[in-house]
Amino acid sequence: MKSPSVDSPAFTAAHASSYVEGTLRKVPGLAALHRMTSMLVAERAPVQARVLVLGAGGGMELKALADDNSGWRFCGIDPSADMLRVAEQTVGAHLARVHLQQGYIGDAPEGPFDAAVCLLTLHFVDRPQRLDTLEQIRRRLVPGAPFVVAHISFPQSEPERSTWIARHVAFGGTASDAESARQAIATKLSVLSPEEDEAVLRKAGFSDVRLFYAAMTFRGWVGYA
């Protein structure tokens, strides 16, 4: 579903085949997150909305949004061809309303879109690229359009950082892969503190940024273009 960073290889077929199962285990309240995302977008998006979904591989959020909103059409962007094939299978009967495109945000159509969604993605985007990614989403939206984003976000000062990494691994991992999972989140992900996340959303041009989801190491915000 998501690229490890803007400069590193996209998820492989092996990652793709295990993505759905692993995400359901690791992300608390994932179905509720999808439902809340749909509700928050629907508050301002028109009945016939065009919705941009960044990090759409796997298709889980695409299916949830399409299930809830029969008039919406979607453009899903993801760097991994393998993950996009999983998305095709996941969205099933909704595929006629979904355009899937391999690439990064710079490869997305210019829009304008009526809303945008980016779930479980930005912690794979290198810190120097985070603002640019959000700015590119923002400029593809109509004025006032909702943007819903959720990803790993926890304090980055010690000892809190190590404590939250341990909690993340304990909740979503298994005893056999605990150490590798700890190393991965500590060294391979680009995690910001919640305060930094909110600040970069505002710097990218989103207004009225509000936290709506907090579950273990995951946070979600809604803002408006």
Side-chain angles (χ1 to χ4, degrees):
M1 178 176 184
K2 325 296 179 189
S3 171
S5 80
V6 292
D7 297 317
S8 56
F11 276 11
T12 65
H15 288 110
S17 64
S18 63
Y19 175 77
V20 172
E21 178 184 349
T23 303
L24 287 169
R25 184 181 74 249
K26 295 174 183 177
V27 183
L30 183 60
L33 172 60
H34 289 159
R35 184 181 175 209
M36 288 185 282
T37 298
S38 181
M39 292 173 61
L40 290 167
V41 171
E43 285 178 352
R44 298 205 186 185
V47 174
Q48 303 294 328
R50 292 185 66 205
V51 181
L52 175 64
V53 179
L54 180 64
M60 298 174 73
E61 63 267 67
L62 281 170
K63 183 180 186 303
L65 294 171
D67 282 345
D68 289 345
N69 304 277
S70 61
W72 292 1
R73 302 184 69 84
F74 304 89
C75 178
I77 307 296
D78 197 279
S80 170
D82 291 316
M83 291 302 295
L84 289 175
R85 281 190 283 272
V86 175
E88 286 184 357
Q89 299 171 1
T90 302
V91 300
H94 301 304
L95 192 57
R97 293 191 283 133
V98 177
H99 169 69
L100 296 173
Q101 181 173 335
Q102 185 177 4
Y104 300 95
I105 184 59
D107 303 306
E110 289 298 312
F113 292 92
D114 300 298
V117 172
C118 182
L119 302 185
L120 312 182
T121 297
L122 287 186
H123 50 244
F124 292 120
V125 176
D126 292 338
R127 182 182 286 256
Q129 302 296 328
R130 185 79 65 97
L131 177 61
D132 178 67
T133 297
L134 291 170
E135 288 178 335
Q136 291 207 48
I137 294 172
R138 164 65 185 82
R139 69 178 178 81
R140 287 170 166 80
L141 296 175
V142 300
F147 173 50
V148 177
V149 57
H151 47 263
I152 297 172
S153 178
F154 53 79
Q156 293 301 294
S157 59
E158 294 293 358
E160 288 182 284
R161 181 176 185 268
S162 293
T163 298
W164 280 108
I165 289 174
R167 289 169 176 168
H168 179 91
V169 172
F171 181 86
T174 61
S176 61
D177 67 0
E179 184 54 35
S180 61
R182 186 177 291 106
Q183 287 296 317
I185 192 171
T187 63
K188 295 182 179 180
L189 299 186
S190 180
V191 179
L192 277 60
S193 71
E195 294 79 12
E196 290 176 303
D197 267 311
E198 290 191 19
V200 74
L201 281 165
R202 294 190 178 95
K203 189 173 182 180
F206 292 100
S207 63
D208 198 20
V209 175
R210 292 290 184 269
L211 181 75
F212 74 92
Y213 168 79
M216 195 58 73
T217 50
F218 294 87
R219 297 289 183 275
W221 293 267
V222 59
Y224 303 91

